[in-house]
Amino acid sequence: MKFVFNYLLVFLFCSTVSFSQEVLTNKIPKRVYTTKKLTKTPIIDGDVTDEAWNVVEWSSEFTEKEPDEGTPPTYQTLFKVIYDSKYLYIAIKALDDEPDLIQKRLSRRDGFAGDRVNVIIDSYHDKRTAFVFTTTAAGVKGEEIATQNGQSWDESWNPVWYTDAKVDDKGWTAEMKIPFSQLRFGKSKEQVWGFNINRNIFRLNERSLWQRIPNDQAGFISEAGELHGLIDLPSQKQLEIQPFTLLQYDSYPKEGNNPYRDGSDFKANIGLDAKIGVTNDLTLDLTINPDFGQVEADPGAIALDGFQLFFREQRPFFVENKNIFDFQFANGSDNLFYSRRIGRNPHRSANLSSGEFADEPLNSAILGAAKFSGKTKNGWSIGILESVTANEFAEIKQTNGNTRQEIVEPLTNYFVGRAQKDFNERNSFIGGIFTATNRNLNGNFNELHKAAYSGGIDFQHNWKNREYFLDGNVIMSHVLGSAEAIENTQRSITRLFQRTDATHVNVDPTRTSLTGTGGRIELGKAGGGNWRYNGGFIWRSPELELNDVGFLRNTDQMIQFANLRYLWQVPTKTYRNASIEASQVTEYDFQKNLNRIRFEGEGNINWANNATTNLGLGTSFRSYSNAFLRGGPRWRTANNRYVFGSFGSDRSKIFSYSMGFTFVDADENVFKRQRYSIGFNYQPTDALNISLENQLELTQDRAQYVTSLDFGNDKRYILGNINNDEFSTTLRFTYSINPNMSIQFYGQPFISRGRYSEFKFVNTAAADRFTDRVTIYDTNQISTRANVYTIDENSDNTIDYQFNKPDFSFAQFRSNLVARWEYIPGSEIFLVWAQGVVGNENPDASLSTSLSNQVFSQRKENTFLLKVTYRFVR
């Protein structure tokens, strides 16, 4: 800890010196547009010649943002803004001397393809958050919520609003009609909002802004211009009710005498979502019996390291306003709130006797959920989420013909509370979060936590026109349960208190609670000039546990990191922009063991023709893993070197492609990995888009963990040489009939095959050389029969221990064909055909043979859905 403290002092001193020596940036003056109340209402058809627009003047003088910041754009843009008591109206003229070249690409909502304009409205005027409304030259709408001063853009937000566009001989025009009920603002005589308009000329890859924002400026939302003239706006309390009806038919291969898998199922479902504006800026979301069908299934993946996999949230109720609830406290995906814990698959499977069958739930039913969220005019961000999932039972068909119920998941309550407060003219904030998970165990489920709580405080301070920043957080967790549950937590791969060489942790089988801490502190320079740098410290105590309603992979870590970056932001004849970056990471555990040192360098170039190139290399050495042997001693991993890169062509062209590679090589030939990716995007017509992505990964690892076994009073940790090959291909196409009607396909076959050889056991886990860390079984010690390896380690003709052959070949195919019609704004009809198959293949077969046998030759499970929603809006 003393090292970390000294490191931060040095870093703070360097930043302060840099601040004192640099000349203050000349701040760009804020532009102001003053709107007026309309006298006539315009028709929203894309034609901006309506007399209603004459109440205000056109504003223009846009400035190029990319590629040549600060210069006049190729073509100018003009706009007008008017309003009445319920709506904000915006008219846009996007001038273009070559109207035949305007890209009018159709897509689904939020497709963001082709020529487009983005209207950016910071109605909170918090200089960090904005509502973004997009219209393309084809009339396709899109919406986003921009947070973290423009660092995060969330396209999951779907408000009700109206837009249209037309192409003429002078370019193209657009009109927008935005209900004030879809925005958030406080009470004032005159509203003052942050405001900007961004135009993208797709074929030129050129962006221009009404309010100029230099490329070296750290902020984006904070640097917007201002919209004035909104006088005496009445309270806009939003009320939306959206019921849905769902019909579902499943067809699948019949499974023998299993009465629950007789070849087909049918079910119907109804539910309700509601959105209630409690005030102008705070909203209550409710859902009853929600449907959480996903357009795309989770991608195929295999985790050979034993750690859980992170999948992104795709369910609309949890995705909307997710930025308010986010509390990413360290690096990677670790977060105090991981919404996919709510409605997860049950913790247990049915306990079956021979000849019995079970109908098991795939997910825990969400009985109801409520979310209260928003941001007030005085700078408070507030989020409260409450959800209850049901007791889940498996129905078991017994051999005598009777059925019985067996509980597989307990009734569970989830609560998340989040708040942040802006101050110091919106340059600083401080916030907090509290989560609670409570299960009704009823004397059952001794393996689960009865209750789990976590809390944290986060802060950020920006200064010198937001060029410099200091931010961080501190968190704490507390879990309670039976002695069995807490012992399981201590022994889980996230902690492994049973490690044989650990002196700072040990398993206590009598404990009924566990309390841990974590956090991050970071200091750096985010804007101004060409240099960027940051550094900081992350820690996760061994006792930290977040996985009841959060996400946590590792504990027992102290990580120091530093990054330095240089930017070339003025385009030349060769490139549009470029950057190089160097980073360094040092990692310790709480026993003060040095576990890793890593250095990495990376360069990026956006060429003049808008192709992109990325190239990087790095090395890790002095690396150890506390979790590799799953509770055994600390393992020395081989020093490695790696190189990675990618190349992509101009995505504005009808045909574009991308390629990438990664090569990893370790000392003593212990580990090798090659990863290749190639993809293309094809837009043969404005209505049709096709993309294909392929990835092949080839891994050779002489130290792949297999299992651990007892040998007398000793423990044997068995490793093997694995050849692991993975291949996936992802096909997507979208055919858009018009901006409100589309057909979309997603399909992904995935296969992973692992074949083992040259088995060995660990003798000196922390030895410098691999040959000293392991002992390879000779042919007299190991033999195989009927997919079981038997070991006679002391060669006395007696089997000492045995393990199953670990070879595997896993194949999966998932696809969705979705027809969508938004028949009125906010109300939709979906027709869905989903296919899937999952299974195991012969590991000795080739990838192509396994893929053909398991994916293309097998009868697949089919699901047909009809979903109808209707949104009542007041």
Side-chain angles (χ1 to χ4, degrees):
M1 294 296 289
K2 182 178 180 181
F3 162 76
V4 174
F5 180 73
N6 290 337
Y7 168 82
L8 290 174
L9 284 179
V10 171
F11 199 86
L12 179 61
F13 173 76
C14 292
S15 297
T16 304
V17 170
S18 176
F19 167 75
S20 63
Q21 290 180 346
E22 290 190 23
V23 178
L24 288 175
T25 303
N26 292 323
K27 198 166 174 63
I28 303 298
K30 293 274 189 180
R31 299 187 69 181
V32 174
Y33 184 90
T34 302
T35 182
K36 292 181 181 179
K37 200 164 188 177
L38 57 78
T39 56
K40 294 184 178 181
T41 303
I43 299 172
I44 305 303
D45 58 3
D47 184 354
V48 299
T49 62
D50 288 6
E51 184 182 347
W53 294 111
N54 294 337
V55 71
V56 291
E57 299 296 323
W58 292 102
S59 181
S60 186
E61 298 182 9
F62 279 52
T63 304
E64 192 170 312
K65 174 69 173 173
E66 293 177 359
D68 195 1
E69 198 284 315
T71 64
T74 304
Y75 301 112
Q76 269 297 339
T77 307
L78 301 88
F79 72 90
K80 290 182 176 183
V81 182
I82 56 179
Y83 73 100
D84 60 20
S85 61
K86 290 188 176 182
Y87 299 98
L88 188 73
Y89 300 85
I90 302 168
I92 294 170
K93 284 184 179 180
L95 303 180
D96 196 320
D97 291 345
E98 301 175 286
D100 291 341
L101 299 181
I102 294 172
Q103 295 292 300
K104 305 180 293 295
R105 297 188 179 184
L106 284 166
S107 70
R108 282 193 58 173
R109 186 171 183 166
D110 295 333
F112 305 111
D115 284 61
R116 58 193 182 272
V117 290
N118 315 97
V119 175
I120 302 159
I121 301 173
D122 177 11
S123 57
Y124 291 123
H125 209 209
D126 66 355
K127 301 182 181 180
R128 290 199 297 125
T129 311
F131 302 96
V132 184
F133 297 85
T134 299
T135 301
T136 75
V140 178
K141 67 171 63 170
E143 316 86 12
E144 297 164 286
I145 292 182
T147 58
Q148 301 177 29
N149 204 358
Q151 296 182 37
S152 176
W153 297 72
D154 180 5
E155 63 189 49
S156 62
W157 178 54
N158 286 316
V160 176
W161 64 292
Y162 311 88
T163 188
D164 205 349
K166 287 185 176 180
V167 176
D168 57 31
D169 59 353
K170 296 181 181 179
W172 64 282
T173 58
E175 291 178 301
M176 298 180 179
K177 177 182 175 182
I178 302 170
F180 287 125
S181 63
Q182 304 298 305
L183 303 172
R184 300 292 176 267
F185 52 90
K187 291 183 179 180
S188 295
K189 176 68 176 176
E190 178 184 2
Q191 298 287 333
V192 176
W193 294 351
F195 186 81
N196 212 346
I197 293 181
N198 172 80
R199 180 185 176 186
N200 186 301
I201 303 176
F202 198 68
R203 69 184 184 276
L204 303 177
N205 284 286
E206 179 184 292
R207 290 176 58 207
S208 57
L209 293 171
W210 173 67
Q211 170 68 61
R212 180 190 172 193
I213 302 177
N215 285 340
D216 65 355
Q217 176 61 50
F220 185 79
I221 307 302
S222 60
E223 306 311 304
E226 292 183 349
L227 178 64
H228 292 198
L230 298 166
I231 309 296
D232 291 330
L233 288 185
S235 178
Q236 305 286 329
K237 293 184 179 179
Q238 183 180 13
L239 176 60
E240 297 179 13
I241 300 174
Q242 187 173 40
F244 75 85
T245 301
L246 174 72
L247 302 177
Q248 177 174 333
Y249 174 77
D250 296 301
S251 173
Y252 48 84
K254 184 177 180 180
E255 296 182 6
N257 297 321
N258 188 343
Y260 302 113
R261 299 287 292 176
D262 60 1
S264 64
D265 296 311
F266 177 81
K267 67 178 182 180
N269 192 20
I270 59 173
L272 178 73
D273 296 320
K275 189 184 294 289
I276 303 169
V278 180
T279 67
N280 277 11
D281 42 28
L282 296 172
T283 303
L284 176 64
D285 293 87
L286 303 171
T287 184
I288 301 172
N289 191 30
D291 167 54
F292 286 146
Q294 295 175 191
V295 173
E296 292 189 5
D298 293 324
I302 293 283
L304 293 178
D305 59 6
F307 290 99
Q308 61 180 322
L309 296 171
F310 179 89
F311 294 108
R312 67 186 179 93
E313 180 61 86
Q314 301 184 83
R315 301 172 296 179
F317 177 82
F318 293 110
V319 168
E320 189 171 354
N321 275 351
K322 67 181 180 180
N323 60 287
I324 290 179
F325 295 90
D326 182 68
F327 199 103
Q328 187 173 334
F329 77 94
N331 55 352
S333 302
D334 288 357
N335 205 305
L336 268 68
F337 180 47
Y338 179 44
S339 56
R340 290 192 62 148
R341 302 293 185 202
I342 303 174
R344 54 156 293 154
N345 57 304
H347 282 86
R348 286 184 181 176
S349 297
N351 185 20
L352 300 178
S353 300
S354 177
E356 293 185 334
F357 299 96
D359 183 17
E360 297 182 294
L362 297 177
N363 299 96
S364 304
I366 299 176
L367 298 177
K371 183 170 59 176
F372 179 71
S373 59
K375 188 161 188 175
T376 66
K377 184 175 178 61
N378 59 4
W380 279 102
S381 295
I382 298 171
I384 298 173
L385 185 145
E386 174 76 18
S387 180
V388 178
T389 59
N391 282 319
E392 291 293 341
F393 295 87
E395 182 180 279
I396 299 172
K397 191 77 168 181
Q398 299 172 292
T399 54
N400 60 8
N402 296 328
T403 61
R404 61 184 171 88
Q405 299 282 322
E406 182 177 301
I407 191 168
V408 293
E409 180 73 12
L411 180 76
T412 307
N413 176 264
Y414 300 92
F415 173 84
V416 182
R418 181 78 162 105
Q420 275 188 348
K421 178 66 171 71
D422 299 338
F423 60 97
N424 187 29
E425 296 182 347
R426 310 289 185 172
N427 288 308
S428 307
F429 70 78
I430 186 167
I433 189 173
F434 174 76
T435 76
T437 305
N438 289 279
R439 297 185 174 93
N440 184 16
L441 301 182
N442 283 333
N444 201 342
F445 292 96
N446 283 336
E447 72 274 22
L448 299 183
H449 297 145
K450 179 176 178 59
Y453 306 102
S454 68
I457 297 173
D458 60 343
F459 63 90
Q460 185 177 95
H461 174 57
N462 298 276
W463 69 94
K464 199 205 168 189
N465 198 23
R466 298 179 182 263
E467 290 183 15
Y468 295 89
F469 70 92
L470 172 67
D471 69 9
N473 56 68
V474 178
I475 70 165
M476 177 178 289
S477 68
H478 183 64
V479 294
L480 303 98
S482 66
E484 177 187 346
I486 299 304
E487 182 175 352
N488 289 342
T489 303
Q490 294 176 78
R491 292 181 177 276
S492 68
I493 193 169
T494 306
R495 270 156 293 279
L496 297 171
F497 283 10
Q498 69 271 31
R499 298 199 306 268
T500 56
D501 59 347
T503 60
H504 62 304
V505 293
N506 64 282
V507 175
D508 183 350
T510 66
R511 296 186 68 170
T512 56
S513 67
L514 207 63
T515 302
T517 66
R520 175 182 55 84
I521 182 76
E522 184 176 351
L523 178 69
K525 182 175 183 287
N530 296 323
W531 288 101
R532 306 285 187 271
Y533 51 81
N534 68 295
F537 176 66
I538 294 167
W539 80 95
R540 304 174 178 91
S541 79
E543 299 84 3
L544 185 66
E545 168 60 344
L546 303 175
N547 286 320
D548 289 273
V549 73
F551 188 90
L552 179 69
R553 277 178 60 90
N554 271 326
T555 62
D556 198 7
Q557 289 180 321
M558 294 186 290
I559 303 172
Q560 168 271 318
F561 63 92
N563 302 283
L564 180 65
R565 190 181 185 199
Y566 187 83
L567 308 173
W568 286 269
Q569 302 178 87
V570 178
T572 67
K573 293 182 179 179
T574 305
Y575 61 82
R576 294 161 66 100
N577 56 70
S579 67
I580 57 171
E581 182 174 1
S583 62
Q584 168 269 327
V585 173
T586 305
E587 182 180 325
Y588 292 83
D589 63 25
F590 275 63
Q591 195 173 312
K592 299 182 181 179
N593 294 311
L594 175 60
N595 280 349
R596 184 173 64 150
I597 299 175
R598 178 177 66 83
F599 292 97
E600 183 175 291
E602 183 176 359
N604 293 275
I605 298 179
N606 186 357
W607 302 99
N609 64 357
N610 212 45
T612 58
T613 301
N614 163 260
L615 184 64
L617 52 87
T619 180
S620 290
F621 55 95
R622 295 291 300 274
S623 298
Y624 295 83
S625 171
N626 290 340
F628 179 77
L629 295 178
R630 314 293 205 274
R634 182 166 164 260
W635 169 260
R636 172 71 183 267
T637 61
N639 298 339
N640 67 66
R641 298 145 300 278
Y642 56 91
V643 59
F644 58 90
S646 64
F647 178 80
S649 66
D650 183 353
R651 290 189 62 85
S652 70
K653 303 300 182 184
I654 291 176
F655 180 85
S656 62
Y657 62 89
S658 61
M659 297 180 290
F661 66 89
T662 302
F663 300 127
V664 185
D665 182 69
D667 288 352
E668 301 180 77
N669 203 29
V670 173
F671 183 87
K672 289 182 180 295
R673 172 170 291 161
Q674 304 170 60
R675 181 185 293 125
Y676 306 94
S677 64
I678 184 169
F680 73 81
N681 189 79
Y682 182 45
Q683 186 89 32
T685 69
D686 287 337
L688 179 62
N689 179 268
I690 303 170
S691 68
L692 182 68
E693 300 173 12
N694 299 282
Q695 182 166 294
L696 175 66
E697 184 173 295
L698 308 173
T699 302
Q700 293 178 298
D701 189 354
R702 296 176 63 197
Q704 175 60 51
Y705 178 84
V706 177
T707 188
S708 62
L709 300 163
D710 293 325
F711 178 47
N713 294 326
D714 297 327
K715 201 77 170 177
R716 286 291 182 254
Y717 300 96
I718 313 300
L719 311 181
N721 184 353
I722 187 175
N723 285 304
N724 184 22
D725 305 331
E726 288 188 359
F727 174 76
S728 69
T729 183
T730 304
L731 173 66
R732 292 181 174 90
F733 79 74
T734 300
Y735 180 75
S736 300
I737 300 168
N738 58 51
N740 300 314
M741 188 179 295
S742 63
I743 299 172
Q744 185 177 34
F745 174 81
Y746 160 89
Q748 185 196 64
F750 167 84
I751 186 166
S752 179
R753 180 191 63 185
R755 294 181 289 188
Y756 289 77
S757 61
E758 194 186 79
F759 293 96
K760 62 215 52 137
F761 66 89
V762 176
N763 47 45
T764 309
D768 288 340
R769 294 187 56 80
F770 179 70
T771 51
D772 296 328
R773 293 195 288 273
V774 300
T775 298
I776 301 173
Y777 295 114
D778 62 36
T779 55
N780 296 323
Q781 293 176 301
I782 186 169
S783 59
T784 180
R785 184 173 57 187
N787 291 326
V788 174
Y789 285 98
T790 58
I791 308 296
D792 178 11
E793 186 175 318
N794 52 17
S795 301
D796 62 357
N797 295 320
T798 301
I799 295 176
D800 295 312
Y801 46 89
Q802 62 186 28
F803 57 91
N804 292 328
K805 187 176 182 181
D807 293 8
F808 65 88
S809 182
F810 171 81
Q812 171 182 289
F813 175 73
R814 290 284 184 266
S815 72
N816 295 85
L817 180 64
V818 181
R820 168 189 168 272
W821 176 30
E822 188 175 3
Y823 56 97
I824 58 174
S827 301
E828 298 172 306
I829 296 176
F830 292 93
L831 285 170
V832 181
W833 174 27
Q835 272 197 328
V837 62
V838 176
N840 297 304
E841 259 296 315
N842 179 8
D844 295 326
S846 67
L847 282 180
S848 58
T849 300
S850 296
L851 199 64
S852 175
N853 290 344
Q854 185 58 43
V855 173
F856 300 115
S857 300
Q858 291 289 326
R859 182 184 169 191
K860 300 172 182 61
E861 297 187 4
N862 292 273
T863 296
F864 299 91
L865 294 171
L866 170 63
K867 181 179 178 181
V868 180
T869 70
Y870 184 84
R871 185 181 288 189
F872 298 90
V873 181
R874 192 196 72 176

